[in-house]
Amino acid sequence: MQSGGMPPTAFSALELSRFLRERFGFAGFRGLQEPVVQAVLAGNDVLALMPTGAGKSLCYQLPGLLFPGVTVVISPLIALIRDQVRRLQALNIDCLAVMGSTEMNATLSQAESSIRQGQTKVILTSPERVQIPSFLQWLSQCLPPQGLSLIVIDEAHCISEWGRSFRPAYIALGAMRDQYPDTPVLAMTASADQWTRKDILEVLRMPEESIIRSSFNRPELFYRVAHSNAPWRSAIGYLQRYHRASPAIFYCKMRQETERLAQLLDCYGLHARPYHAGMEATARYETEQWFLDAETGVMVATIAFGMGMDKPNIRLVAHVGLDHRVAAYYQETGRAGRDGQSSDVLLMLSNREHQHLECDDGSGLEIALNDREAEAKAQFGAFLKPRQCRRIALLAGLDEIFDGECNACDFCNPNHHAMPLVRENASKWTPK
Ligand code: ADP
Ligand code: MG
């Protein structure tokens, strides 16, 4: 197989910064972008663990431009592929999205010559596509002489979270790796506890040394857990008091809840839309676009919404109800404050959930749950119980020891943004 098309020369730090400025319009690299880019350009495998909003896309876009061959990006959702295509086009980087079966025929044969001539720099696709033998066969036939330069797995935690359940194609990504053993692999995620990291390295056959991780601390986020007899109304009250004029996301556990809560928000005169995986693809797309463009407004969604979304000014991410692992919670709440401005993260529990939590001392966990689930539950429990700084507990769940100044959680700074009171009979609301 053709593989491993390396850049013609090594690049000095100065040359890379100049390229970054001229081609991407950024004054400098952020966080660990530069070491990741350097390692990838040197032909090494990298598992980049960087927080949401850190600028992971650039870590493949920049090498993708400098490599003489093609970069293949594997992404879990059509919405994400579309978003990346939009961003690549804005940067004038020629790319091709391979999503559905129709593309396999007409569009692909049209695109072949442009790939072969090295014009198309990036091909974006899903793990399911990669799993189809005819796709890899097609790819190998139309690669330019410089070959496949880089394989990128965006949102790589999906390997661990979904690979073993409903998306086995994620596990099969190892086969692509085997087919192109000399092509470096860049896996990127903002969510990787020890189990997830292990799964990613194993499936992609990457050595432990390929991990480049930055701190996961998001100092601009204020973490709060609250409880009330009317958690929906309390969350709405909080939004009304502190974030009425900004975009917000409310996460619910059930599809039906998203619709009811959006209705309730509407009764309060707040513009809100529900979003869940049961909606038609076009309605989902339309709702995503509405939210991306919205100056204010609340997206009321299940966790089907938000992965990889680049909306900088979300000021509140509120979860209503309890159902979490630290890594997933961190990922979802990380959608707030991507522009680095102070933003709020609220987990709103019912009084019942809260009481249950107070009584649960964690004993007996190991009987019902396997190690991974038991540890995940214990870690999230440590975040929920207000006996220590929430930031310390949250980051501990991502294997990070936080010993800095927090001052941005309800344990360390209880006077920040008091929870508004809600009416006694508030929980009796029924939808129109
Ligand atoms: P992630 O995938 O890590 O969540 P993205 O790749 O979506 O983050 O980037 C988040 C935002 O940061 C984007 O709007 C991107 O244009 C911007 N960005 C990336 N790198 C830089 C940089 N070096 N300087 C300024 N902005 C950057
Ligand atoms: Mg991303």
Side-chain angles (χ1 to χ4, degrees), residues 52 157 161 190-193 218 221-226 251 303 316-336 344-349 376 379-380 383-384 390-391 393-395 397-398 410:
T52 326
H157 58 278
E161 265 167 37
S191 163
D193 51 27
R218 295 279 310 275
L221 299 187
F222 192 103
Y223 295 101
R224 173 189 309 277
V225 182
Y251 278 114
I303 54 166
L316 172 66
V317 171
H319 285 74
V320 190
L322 192 58
D323 179 18
H324 266 96
R325 286 188 309 112
V326 164
Y329 187 68
Y330 173 83
Q331 168 96 280
E332 287 148 29
T333 55
R335 290 159 197 162
D344 266 317
V345 166
L346 171 68
L347 175 54
M348 199 65 229
L349 304 177
Q379 282 171 339
F380 204 62
F383 172 77
L384 292 171
R390 298 212 198 265
R391 184 166 258 101
L394 190 70
L395 292 173
L398 302 169
D410 53 354

Side-chain angles (χ1 to χ4, degrees), residues 160-425:
S160 178
E161 265 167 37
W162 295 347
R164 303 209 186 281
S165 48
F166 67 104
R167 289 187 76 174
Y170 263 106
I171 303 295
L173 284 177
M176 181 176 190
R177 205 301 94 115
D178 292 343
Q179 197 167 341
Y180 294 95
D182 301 327
T183 299
V185 173
L186 167 62
M188 312 189 288
T189 176
S191 163
D193 51 27
Q194 53 157 327
W195 310 91
T196 313
R197 290 200 303 270
K198 191 165 159 281
D199 280 348
I200 296 172
L201 295 179
E202 229 171 74
V203 166
L204 298 175
R205 333 227 199 284
M206 293 161 81
E208 180 88 31
E209 306 77 68
S210 54
I211 294 179
I212 298 183
R213 75 174 278 164
S214 58
S215 167
F216 278 74
N217 185 26
R218 295 279 310 275
E220 64 279 11
L221 299 187
F222 192 103
Y223 295 101
R224 173 189 309 277
V225 182
H227 58 95
S228 101
N229 68 333
W232 286 13
R233 285 188 187 256
S234 294
I236 293 173
Y238 194 82
L239 172 82
Q240 277 188 308
R241 182 174 295 182
Y242 301 112
H243 298 291
R244 206 189 163 93
S246 314
I249 305 178
F250 277 18
Y251 278 114
C252 303
K253 283 191 279 185
M254 320 276 283
R255 293 174 181 183
Q256 245 185 347
E257 286 174 345
T258 65
E259 284 162 11
R260 293 188 64 215
L261 183 50
Q263 249 184 54
L264 181 59
L265 279 153
D266 210 47
C267 297
Y268 278 81
L270 296 157
H271 198 38
R273 290 207 194 172
Y275 183 104
H276 55 74
M279 286 161 56
E280 289 282 313
T282 41
R284 279 201 318 252
Y285 179 67
E286 204 257 315
T287 308
E288 276 161 17
Q289 292 311 305
W290 161 77
F291 188 62
L292 282 176
D293 297 337
E295 303 266 319
T296 63
V298 190
M299 181 66 112
V300 190
T302 60
I303 54 166
F305 174 75
M307 197 192 288
M309 180 201 46
D310 188 22
K311 187 170 177 69
N313 58 340
I314 296 167
R315 292 286 161 258
L316 172 66
V317 171
H319 285 74
V320 190
L322 192 58
D323 179 18
H324 266 96
R325 286 188 309 112
V326 164
Y329 187 68
Y330 173 83
Q331 168 96 280
E332 287 148 29
T333 55
R335 290 159 197 162
R338 282 166 68 94
D339 55 5
Q341 303 294 310
S342 303
S343 304
D344 266 317
V345 166
L346 171 68
L347 175 54
M348 199 65 229
L349 304 177
S350 67
N351 283 344
R352 250 204 17 238
E353 282 170 317
H354 177 72
Q355 274 157 13
H356 181 73
L357 203 69
E358 285 295 294
C359 304
D360 184 3
D361 62 359
S363 61
L365 276 177
E366 65 284 359
I367 300 167
L369 306 171
N370 65 32
D371 283 357
R372 183 174 182 164
E373 286 169 331
E375 188 172 326
K377 188 166 180 206
Q379 282 171 339
F380 204 62
F383 172 77
L384 292 171
K385 292 183 185 181
R387 306 206 174 104
Q388 64 167 340
C389 163
R390 298 212 198 265
R391 184 166 258 101
I392 290 181
L394 190 70
L395 292 173
L398 302 169
D399 294 328
E400 182 173 332
I401 297 167
F402 178 73
D403 54 6
E405 182 97 3
C406 169
N407 210 29
C409 77
D410 53 354
F411 183 84
C412 297
N413 184 356
N415 297 326
H416 176 83
H417 287 184
M419 281 305 293
L421 293 172
V422 291
R423 285 200 323 274
E424 263 300 291
N425 64 350

Side-chain angles (χ1 to χ4, degrees), residues 56-57 84 87 154-155 188 308 338:
K56 289 183 285 297
S57 315
Q84 288 291 327
R87 294 204 229 171
D154 197 8
E155 309 289 355
M188 312 189 288
R338 282 166 68 94

